[in-house]
Amino acid sequence: MIEIFVSFLVLFVVLTATAYYVSNYRKPTGYTIDRVWNISVNSRLPRKGFDKVRAEGLYQLELAMRDLPEIESVGWIEIEPYSRSTSIHGSKFNGSEVDVEVNSASDECRKVLNVPLTSGRWFSAEDNAVKFDPVVVNEELAHRLYGEDNPIGKQSIDSNSRIVGVMKNFRK
């Protein structure tokens, strides 16, 4: 009896995991990866004291890539699609606990990944002068935070951020 029960538990776990991954696989990604290259750079510089040198080197690399006629646009994203890395932040928002997967991206990232927006706009150079952090959220988070209300211009889960755009649900 114990062997049958354990076999049933294993079968249940395997079928549940399979159903979850098949369901996740069938969802749209929310971006395109056709003709997109992922380039990782390791400067081998120590983390402390070399932030400006590292940033200048990456800027020079970006300028060099923009000069190549084969490259349509150049952008960066901290945690690229299909990586095994995540950054999850938990916070209380309007009295309820909210866990959010967070990522940083450049102004040009939308052009590289062709991320469709449903409302608002993507980051731009005009955001460099504002005192808050501009945030683009997916529809699921916008609905969870504000229901049917328009989230544009409202606070995200961080008190120093404002939502400037809403994109289709994004599957990493």
Side-chain angles (χ1 to χ4, degrees), residues 41-105:
V41 177
N42 185 349
S43 66
R44 303 206 187 271
L45 293 171
R47 289 196 182 269
K48 286 189 173 185
F50 289 92
D51 290 339
K52 289 184 181 180
V53 174
R54 192 178 3 265
E56 181 61 29
L58 290 174
Y59 179 69
Q60 292 300 323
L61 177 63
E62 182 179 332
L63 290 177
M65 289 190 312
R66 287 181 192 277
D67 287 342
L68 296 173
E70 302 88 7
I71 296 180
E72 296 173 16
S73 59
V74 177
W76 63 264
I77 188 167
E78 187 173 344
I79 303 171
E80 71 276 1
Y82 300 104
S83 70
R84 294 183 181 177
S85 182
T86 58
S87 177
I88 298 175
H89 293 254
S91 179
K92 278 202 179 268
F93 188 83
N94 289 338
S96 64
E97 192 68 31
V98 179
D99 290 329
V100 179
E101 188 169 339
V102 180
N103 205 344
S104 297

Side-chain angles (χ1 to χ4, degrees), residues 3-171:
E3 288 178 0
I4 291 173
F5 179 72
V6 169
S7 298
F8 174 76
L9 284 178
V10 169
L11 182 64
F12 178 76
V13 168
V14 168
L15 289 177
T16 302
T18 301
Y20 170 77
Y21 286 113
V22 167
S23 172
N24 197 30
Y25 177 77
R26 294 176 55 140
K27 291 179 185 174
T29 57
Y31 55 88
T32 58
I33 58 168
D34 300 338
R35 303 177 350 187
V36 174
W37 284 26
N38 175 17
I39 298 173
S40 297
V41 177
N42 185 349
S43 66
R44 303 206 187 271
L45 293 171
R47 289 196 182 269
K48 286 189 173 185
F50 289 92
D51 290 339
K52 289 184 181 180
V53 174
R54 192 178 3 265
E56 181 61 29
L58 290 174
Y59 179 69
Q60 292 300 323
L61 177 63
E62 182 179 332
L63 290 177
M65 289 190 312
R66 287 181 192 277
D67 287 342
L68 296 173
E70 302 88 7
I71 296 180
E72 296 173 16
S73 59
V74 177
W76 63 264
I77 188 167
E78 187 173 344
I79 303 171
E80 71 276 1
Y82 300 104
S83 70
R84 294 183 181 177
S85 182
T86 58
S87 177
I88 298 175
H89 293 254
S91 179
K92 278 202 179 268
F93 188 83
N94 289 338
S96 64
E97 192 68 31
V98 179
D99 290 329
V100 179
E101 188 169 339
V102 180
N103 205 344
S104 297
S106 68
D107 298 350
E108 300 293 320
C109 185
R110 179 173 182 240
K111 290 179 186 175
V112 174
L113 294 177
N114 195 22
V115 178
L117 293 177
T118 56
S119 66
R121 61 178 177 79
W122 193 259
F123 319 117
S124 66
E126 68 188 41
D127 294 317
N128 296 341
V130 295
K131 294 183 180 183
F132 60 86
D133 296 328
V135 176
V136 176
V137 299
N138 65 5
E139 292 172 329
E140 182 180 345
L141 180 61
H143 183 70
R144 189 165 179 199
L145 295 178
Y146 293 104
E148 298 301 318
D149 292 344
N150 183 6
I152 304 299
K154 295 181 180 174
Q155 173 186 333
S156 182
I157 62 167
D158 178 14
S159 62
N160 192 39
S161 63
R162 298 290 177 267
I163 298 172
V164 296
V166 179
M167 65 181 166
K168 291 272 193 193
N169 289 332
F170 186 92
R171 180 172 60 97

